[in-house]
């Protein structure tokens, strides 16, 4: 009797099981085509196999099994997370303009491939990777006959840490660090990603947090399998490439069916031509009426030349507006210079200018009672001070006298 291969059911208990995922992580060094890649195959029913694969060598047998989706997992140090306040109506092709203001690699004109992770309550979360590196990794896989269905930064598989904790995962010679800021005004704190060398001491702000390490140092393959188990189902998709020359779209109907539809298509074409003709006639009539109305409107004003006094008045208004802007800028610089000698413990957290109002905020946690009282007394002489347990706010009226009086 011939035994047939046993295939595990894709449904268990009325719930569809997720498809297996083949995770591939390239080396961290850019454009290194000789270094091996790490891979693992995740399935909900078996222990995940894994290993290394060097481009140019034959593919492992696990790569050739059908039914799985291929995921390109980007090294931690190759991606950047942006959490920005997005204006209403922001389009996808405007993301690079918004991100360019926050990139720390000024002077680097290399474009980024951006993908949206979340967009809630006006906060847009994007992840970016250098386009040339992503295309180089995709080309390496294409030469091997692999086509990834999605890509994901390694940080997307890192669990969220508890409150006031620092989640750390071993990733080769680096730590994958993830933490959240404290929540403000019932809004969740911002999430941060950081790849940090393991042989370097942490910054003081991170060293004070509770250390949370959900995975022991068991090697890079164990870390890749751990990240794969925590990756979300929805991942960024590769950008669609240009269509191959000579490729044709397959029609959903046969040639015989197409012949049966020809008479109806001819009737539809005739009706469309009649509608187009009627629309052109109506449009020509509308254009004639509109041109006549424009001529009548122009005749009312052509005989009345523009007054030189009006032009002079507009010029004077513009000069006055520019002078007001220069005066406001000088007063802003004057107030900032007056506050430049504050103690280092007084950390400035907010600087906002709206119209003729300038608002500054400090965090009073690191100040003693005496230093806080001295700071409050000094700020009272500059404007209106608002004191809360978590922030000390100064509001200055820039329209007042330049020597800085108390804001009414």
């Amino acid at each position: 009797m011939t035994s047939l291969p046993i295939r595990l059911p894709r449904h268990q208990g009325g719930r569809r099981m997720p498809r297996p995922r083949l995770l591939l992580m390239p080396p961290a060094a850019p454009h290194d085509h000789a270094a091996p890649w790490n891979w693992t195959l995740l399935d909900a029913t078996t222990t995940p196999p894994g290993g290394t694969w060097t481009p140019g060598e034959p593919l492992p047998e696990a790569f050739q099994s059908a039914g799985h989706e291929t995921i390109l997992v980007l090294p931690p140090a190759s991606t950047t997370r942006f959490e920005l306040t997005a204006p209403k109506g922001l389009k996808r092709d405007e993301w690079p303009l918004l991100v360019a203001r926050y990139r720390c690699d000024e002077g680097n004109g290399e474009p980024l491939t951006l993908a949206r992770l979340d967009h809630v309550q006006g906060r847009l979360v994007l992840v970016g990777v250098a386009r040339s590196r992503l295309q180089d990794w995709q080309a390496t896989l294409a030469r091997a006959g692999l086509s990834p269905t999605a890509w994901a930064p390694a940080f997307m598989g890192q669990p969220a840490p508890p409150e006031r904790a620092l989640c750390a995962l071993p990733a080769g010679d680096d730590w994958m660090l993830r933490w959240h800021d404290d929540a403000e005004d019932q809004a969740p704190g911002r999430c941060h990603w950081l790849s940090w060398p393991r042989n370097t001491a942490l910054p003081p702000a991170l060293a004070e947090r509770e250390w949370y390490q959900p995975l022991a140092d068991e090697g890079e393959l164990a870390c890749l399998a751990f990240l794969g188990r925590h990756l979300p189902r929805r991942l960024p998709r590769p950008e669609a490439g240009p269509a191959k020359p000579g490729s044709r779209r397959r029609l959903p109907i046969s040639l015989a069916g197409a012949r049966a539809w020809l008479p109806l298509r001819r009737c539809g074409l005739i009706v469309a031509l009649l509608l187009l003709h009627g629309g052109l006639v109506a449009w020509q009539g509308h254009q004639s009426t509109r041109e006549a109305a424009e001529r009548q409107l122009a005749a009312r004003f052509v005989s009345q030349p523009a007054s030189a006094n009006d032009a002079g008045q507009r010029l004077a208004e513009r000069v006055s507006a520019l002078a007001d802007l220069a005066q406001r800028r000088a007063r802003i610089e004057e107030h900032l210079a007056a506050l430049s000698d504050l103690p280092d413990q007084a950390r400035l957290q907010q600087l906002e200018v709206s119209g003729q109002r300038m608002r500054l905020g400090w965090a009073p946690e690191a100040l003693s009672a005496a230093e806080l009282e001295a700071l409050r007394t000094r700020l009272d002489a500059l404007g209106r001070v608002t004191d809360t347990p978590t922030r000390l706010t100064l509001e200055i009226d820039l329209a007042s006298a330049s020597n800085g009086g108390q804001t009414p």
Side-chain angles (χ1 to χ4, degrees), residues 134-156:
L134 183 60
Q135 292 177 349
D136 181 67
W137 290 327
Q138 292 175 343
T140 300
L141 295 178
R143 287 191 294 268
L146 298 175
S147 178
T149 58
W151 59 270
F155 283 103
M156 289 187 66

Side-chain angles (χ1 to χ4, degrees), residues 290-333:
R290 180 179 177 181
E291 291 175 358
E294 290 178 352
R295 287 194 297 268
Q296 294 178 0
L297 183 62
R300 297 172 54 188
F301 298 98
V302 168
S303 59
Q304 300 178 4
S307 174
N309 294 332
D310 295 340
Q313 182 178 0
R314 288 194 297 269
L315 180 60
E317 292 175 353
R318 183 171 181 82
V319 171
S320 177
L322 292 176
D324 291 341
L325 289 176
Q327 186 179 16
R328 187 185 72 163
R329 180 177 180 181
R331 290 178 178 174
I332 292 174
E333 295 177 352

Side-chain angles (χ1 to χ4, degrees), residues 256-284:
R259 291 176 178 175
W261 281 93
L262 283 179
L264 294 178
R265 292 175 62 183
R266 291 172 181 171
C267 294
L269 181 60
I270 294 175
V271 173
L273 290 176
L274 292 176
L275 292 176
L276 179 61
H277 176 71
L280 288 175
V281 173
W283 179 77
Q284 290 177 353

Side-chain angles (χ1 to χ4, degrees), residues 27-305:
H31 308 292
D32 188 358
H33 301 283
W37 292 43
N38 294 326
W39 68 269
T40 184
L41 182 61
L42 293 180
D43 197 328
T45 58
T46 60
T47 302
T52 59
W53 166 72
T54 302
E57 296 182 353
L59 297 177
E61 295 182 1
F63 287 23
Q64 303 174 9
S65 61
H68 65 258
E69 54 179 341
T70 304
I71 307 297
L72 175 61
V73 181
L74 309 186
S78 65
T79 57
T80 305
R81 185 181 188 275
F82 301 95
E83 186 167 346
L84 313 171
T85 301
K88 293 183 178 179
L90 184 69
K91 299 180 180 179
R92 184 184 183 91
D93 54 359
E94 297 172 344
W95 289 354
L97 300 177
L98 184 64
V99 167
R101 301 173 51 190
Y102 300 92
R103 291 185 65 177
C104 59
D105 52 348
E106 295 184 3
N108 183 8
E110 184 175 8
L112 296 178
T113 296
L114 298 172
R116 184 180 66 182
L117 301 183
D118 197 5
H119 191 186
V120 180
Q121 297 180 355
R123 299 173 70 175
L124 178 63
V125 181
L126 301 175
V127 61
V129 59
R131 184 172 301 171
S132 61
R133 296 188 66 179
L134 183 60
Q135 292 177 349
D136 181 67
W137 290 327
Q138 292 175 343
T140 300
L141 295 178
R143 287 191 294 268
L146 298 175
S147 178
T149 58
W151 59 270
F155 283 103
M156 289 187 66
Q158 187 173 9
E163 186 177 0
R164 296 294 301 168
L166 178 67
C167 181
L169 287 179
D173 297 332
D174 298 333
W175 286 112
M176 291 175 55
L177 303 179
R178 177 174 178 174
W179 73 96
H180 294 266
D181 291 339
D182 297 335
E184 294 183 1
D185 299 332
Q186 298 180 353
R190 293 179 180 269
C191 176
H192 299 275
W193 295 349
L194 180 63
S195 181
W196 189 262
R198 299 175 68 174
N199 57 358
T200 305
L202 293 176
L206 297 181
E208 297 174 355
R209 292 178 174 264
E210 179 183 356
W211 186 265
Y212 172 66
Q213 184 176 343
L215 177 67
D217 191 359
E218 301 176 359
E220 296 182 358
L221 294 180
C223 181
L224 179 59
F226 179 84
L227 296 175
R229 296 189 190 97
H230 294 83
L231 281 176
R233 299 309 306 171
R234 298 185 60 182
L235 298 174
R237 299 290 176 177
E239 296 180 355
K244 297 182 180 180
S247 61
R248 296 182 180 180
R249 182 182 177 184
R250 298 182 62 184
L251 297 178
I253 56 177
S254 62
L255 182 59
R259 291 176 178 175
W261 281 93
L262 283 179
L264 294 178
R265 292 175 62 183
R266 291 172 181 171
C267 294
L269 181 60
I270 294 175
V271 173
L273 290 176
L274 292 176
L275 292 176
L276 179 61
H277 176 71
L280 288 175
V281 173
W283 179 77
Q284 290 177 353
H286 174 71
Q287 285 293 105
S288 301
T289 306
R290 180 179 177 181
E291 291 175 358
E294 290 178 352
R295 287 194 297 268
Q296 294 178 0
L297 183 62
R300 297 172 54 188
F301 298 98
V302 168
S303 59
Q304 300 178 4

